[in-house]
Amino acid sequence: MAIPFTPWPDEFARRYREKGYWLDRPLTDIIENQCENPSVALVDGARSFSYTQLDQLSSNLAASLLDRGVKPGDTALVHLGNNAEFFITFFALLKIGVVPVNALFSHQRNEVDAYAVQISPTLLIADQQHSLYQNAEAVDHFVTRHASIRTVLLLGTQGSQSLTAAIEQPAGGTELVPGPADQVAFFQLSGGSTGTPKLIPRTHNDYYYSIRRSNEVCGFSAQTRYLCALPAAHNYSMSSPGTLGVFLAGGCVVLASDPDATLCFPLIEQHQINVTALVPPAASLWLQAISEWGSNQQLASLRLLQVGGARLSPALAARIPAEMGCQLQQVFGMAEGLVNYTRLDDSPERIIHTQGKPMCPDDEVWVADENNNPLPTGQVGRLMTRGPYTFRGYFNSPEHNASAFDQNGFYCSGDLIAIDEAGYITVQGREKDQINRGGEKIAAEEIENLLQRHESVVHAGLVSIEDPLLGEKSCAYLVTSAPLRAVDIRRFLRSLGVADYKLPDRVVCVDALPLTAVGKVDKKALRRWMAERDAT
Ligand code: J2J
């Protein structure tokens, strides 16, 4: 059975096909078109995989999953880190039309449970190095909570549940049939601003276009050697143009577990990396490393550094070409679709001061005031967008969709932007109730709801505070019935299985918080109140 999603209206689908954006080809093309390419597609530590091997190993796993009773149209929960198995699994699932959610490795029980509840997966593929699956008992707990799971494969285990064994077992002649190109290929994760993390259905057609067009804009080719140091499952490192862009172009992906300079600089030198993607804090730490070590020599092969995911200050942007000796490209994207790039031939001024322009001529982007009326060029307001790779609705979320889209199908991303005469966007702020902690997104409401579950918490409001490195950190304002310390709060949230990056960086207990008429914390008033307090 196909996964339900909000389709593009027929007239749009027709236009996107006519213009060649939608090819009606599955994402499996990316790897299958290169099945005879002997060059190295992927490097993971001491292991390297040719295109032929990547294709073969993913077919092996696909066949093994069918043998185990996994069926086309099933959903899967995948929880792997930055390793080759992540990609082998991704392509294996695509090859048999199984639709995964790829949780980030930093996610914990709270997040993964929320995803599993929404998709009722029949399949779990996870890494035993993650504490959620570190032993049989932990896995049992997980499977008991999610009764839909019938098949479990684990990386790092032996025996019948071994992912490695399933990958190595030759496929034989099993026929593998991917899902239809106009249907959901997999779910992306929303940064979120609501109580439950939302899922974004991405179709083969729309995602494939996003990758193809990104490759054109960013000049990815068979010569591209890309370091993937951000989480492999993130939309940015997967599709802008990311690892999938590299595979499509026939280049080489080198994996790093994180963007730490001591890890990445030697990898760049060793593998002659010419492009990579970072979030602003990581770029800042790379600059710091260069100045401390007194040399950027290890980065000599690097031609292009993409920076996105959070606001990049012009001051930091200007330092990148000067001190790293490579070109900068700003990327302003979202897992929901729309991606903006500064162009490789843009002036330094534009690259330093703007977040680029939409990549597709049929990306419709306009700026709305609070009454949803269009604002003139240059004025700051809400980003509204629709286009051939921007989704039309969160998975199973009719209520939220009613407010996230206008009546013409334009998605309101919650970003406050201005667009200049040349169509270039600058991100000016945010309206959504989210904290962008150096690229990692925290939905305030999700954490507030969890804080509220503490017996001594009467009211809770989570807001962002400025941070010199991360840009933003989170601060929980609490009204409590008994004294509470930050450590107590953090321990409590951890016990609920909340990912580390979502734990409040600061906790401030106050006598009272501004409330709305229905007794919820009034976030707008709270932010005003904080600003006034900071000003005095
Ligand atoms: C300011 N804010 C930015 C930027 C994203 C490419 C790049 C990034 C993402 C991503 C992505 C920003 N300056 N340059 O999916 O394909 C904030 C905005 C946006 C939200 C989306 C891609 N780049 N942002 O970050 O889904 O608030 O995707 O709406 O994680 O990040 O977050 P996410």
Side-chain angles (χ1 to χ4, degrees):
M1 225 186 54
I3 304 293
F5 73 107
T6 316
W8 286 258
D10 286 345
E11 65 199 274
F12 287 86
R14 201 175 318 117
R15 176 143 53 96
Y16 296 155
R17 285 193 170 92
E18 269 166 24
K19 296 214 170 176
Y21 304 143
W22 292 3
L23 299 180
D24 286 309
R25 295 293 314 162
L27 285 168
T28 45
D29 268 11
I30 294 175
I31 195 81
E32 286 176 344
N33 287 350
Q34 315 232 29
C35 65
E36 287 176 11
N37 183 348
S39 50
V40 174
L42 182 64
V43 177
D44 172 6
R47 301 185 296 166
S48 67
F49 302 82
S50 69
Y51 279 92
T52 308
Q53 285 172 316
L54 212 50
D55 181 52
Q56 190 56 56
L57 295 174
S58 56
S59 291
N60 291 352
L61 177 57
S64 170
L65 288 169
L66 292 178
D67 275 353
R68 289 162 199 258
V70 176
K71 288 189 214 46
D74 281 358
T75 56
L77 190 81
V78 176
H79 205 174
L80 298 169
N82 283 19
N83 48 38
E85 285 75 8
F86 172 82
F87 297 99
I88 294 168
T89 300
F90 184 68
F91 286 116
L93 298 179
L94 288 175
K95 282 181 177 187
I96 52 173
V98 171
V99 177
V101 167
N102 300 314
L104 301 180
F105 204 65
S106 57
H107 284 152
Q108 298 291 341
R109 195 182 70 233
N110 167 63
E111 291 77 34
V112 184
D113 277 359
Y115 299 136
V117 164
Q118 292 181 66
I119 63 163
S120 302
T122 54
L123 170 66
L124 168 70
I125 298 189
D127 190 337
Q128 279 223 301
Q129 279 182 30
H130 195 292
S131 59
L132 277 176
Y133 325 96
Q134 65 192 356
N135 52 42
E137 202 187 338
V139 176
D140 273 354
H141 271 296
F142 195 88
V143 175
T144 312
R145 280 203 305 283
H146 303 291
S148 57
I149 297 176
R150 288 193 301 270
T151 309
V152 177
L153 286 178
L154 297 171
L155 181 61
T157 202
Q158 311 261 304
S160 64
Q161 289 190 334
S162 163
L163 175 63
T164 305
I167 288 173
E168 283 170 357
Q169 185 187 322
T174 315
E175 201 194 350
L176 307 174
V177 184
D182 63 353
Q183 298 293 316
V184 183
F186 75 111
F187 291 102
Q188 257 303 352
L189 309 177
S190 158
S193 56
T194 56
T196 28
K198 296 274 180 285
L199 293 170
I200 303 160
R202 299 295 306 250
T203 63
H204 294 266
N205 271 341
D206 87 78
Y207 213 65
Y208 202 166
Y209 171 70
S210 174
I211 296 161
R212 274 197 332 274
R213 178 63 188 144
S214 292
N215 268 3
E216 286 171 9
V217 170
C218 304
F220 276 31
S221 72
Q223 277 69 52
T224 298
R225 303 185 61 79
Y226 176 88
L227 182 74
C228 175
L230 296 175
H234 194 275
N235 193 56
Y236 177 17
S237 45
M238 213 163 158
S239 67
S240 296
T243 52
L244 297 184
V246 179
F247 293 145
L248 179 66
C252 176
V253 170
V254 176
L255 295 173
S257 54
D258 63 71
D260 194 300
T262 50
L263 169 71
C264 290
F265 283 21
L267 283 175
I268 291 174
E269 186 172 38
Q270 183 190 348
H271 298 285
Q272 292 294 291
I273 297 297
N274 48 26
V275 48
T276 189
L278 294 178
V279 288
S284 177
L285 290 173
W286 281 27
L287 288 171
Q288 197 180 317
I290 290 170
S291 77
E292 273 168 23
W293 302 339
S295 163
N296 65 8
Q297 204 36 50
Q298 285 181 300
L299 307 187
S301 57
L302 200 61
R303 294 278 166 274
L304 181 67
L305 178 69
Q306 299 183 296
V307 180
R311 181 177 183 272
L312 176 66
S313 73
L316 187 58
R319 289 181 57 198
I320 288 170
E323 296 174 38
M324 288 196 197
C326 66
Q327 199 181 351
L328 167 69
Q329 179 177 50
Q330 293 213 40
V331 191
F332 165 41
M334 53 200 73
E336 285 81 358
L338 179 72
V339 182
N340 307 276
Y341 295 105
T342 56
R343 304 302 200 253
L344 301 182
D345 57 1
D346 274 341
S347 66
E349 177 71 14
R350 270 212 177 118
I351 294 175
I352 287 169
H353 290 281
T354 80
Q355 280 64 62
K357 62 177 179 181
M359 66 169 156
C360 173
D362 279 80
D363 279 324
E364 299 173 78
V365 184
W366 57 282
V367 180
D369 68 11
E370 57 271 27
N371 300 317
N372 231 18
N373 295 315
L375 282 165
T377 303
Q379 291 210 14
V380 178
R382 297 173 176 159
L383 186 162
M384 306 293 295
T385 187
R386 65 183 185 193
Y389 60 100
T390 295
F391 82 142
R392 292 289 184 138
Y394 290 103
F395 181 60
N396 272 346
S397 310
E399 246 173 68
H400 184 56
N401 288 338
S403 60
F405 292 82
D406 76 2
Q407 71 277 19
N408 299 316
F410 281 92
Y411 168 60
C412 177
S413 76
D415 294 302
L416 296 174
I417 61 159
I419 307 182
D420 70 15
E421 258 138 37
Y424 281 74
I425 295 177
T426 45
V427 181
Q428 308 274 348
R430 193 179 318 124
E431 204 179 45
K432 56 189 161 189
D433 199 5
Q434 184 187 77
I435 292 134
N436 188 336
R437 194 177 184 278
E440 293 187 301
K441 318 299 186 313
I442 306 166
E445 191 185 331
E446 181 191 8
I447 303 305
E448 288 161 5
N449 289 347
L450 295 170
L451 285 166
Q452 212 79 58
R453 282 164 60 177
H454 191 289
E455 55 179 9
S456 304
V457 171
V458 183
H459 290 301
L462 194 78
V463 287
S464 65
I465 47 174
E466 260 182 53
D467 181 76
L469 179 64
L470 294 175
E472 295 172 30
K473 277 186 171 176
S474 66
C475 176
Y477 279 86
L478 302 178
V479 177
T480 62
S481 59
L484 273 180
R485 296 166 307 164
V487 285
D488 302 323
I489 287 298
R490 293 165 65 85
R491 193 177 304 130
F492 171 72
L493 288 176
R494 263 210 193 93
S495 77
L496 298 180
V498 175
D500 259 19
Y501 70 88
K502 295 184 183 173
L503 302 177
D505 294 292
R506 264 183 67 194
V507 175
V508 178
C509 291
V510 290
D511 293 335
L513 284 169
L515 300 181
T516 62
V518 293
K520 288 180 78 171
V521 173
D522 185 340
K523 299 297 290 291
K524 281 197 178 136
L526 175 57
R527 280 192 217 103
R528 260 198 320 271
W529 178 72
M530 282 174 55
E532 280 161 19
R533 216 186 49 157
D534 288 350
T536 54

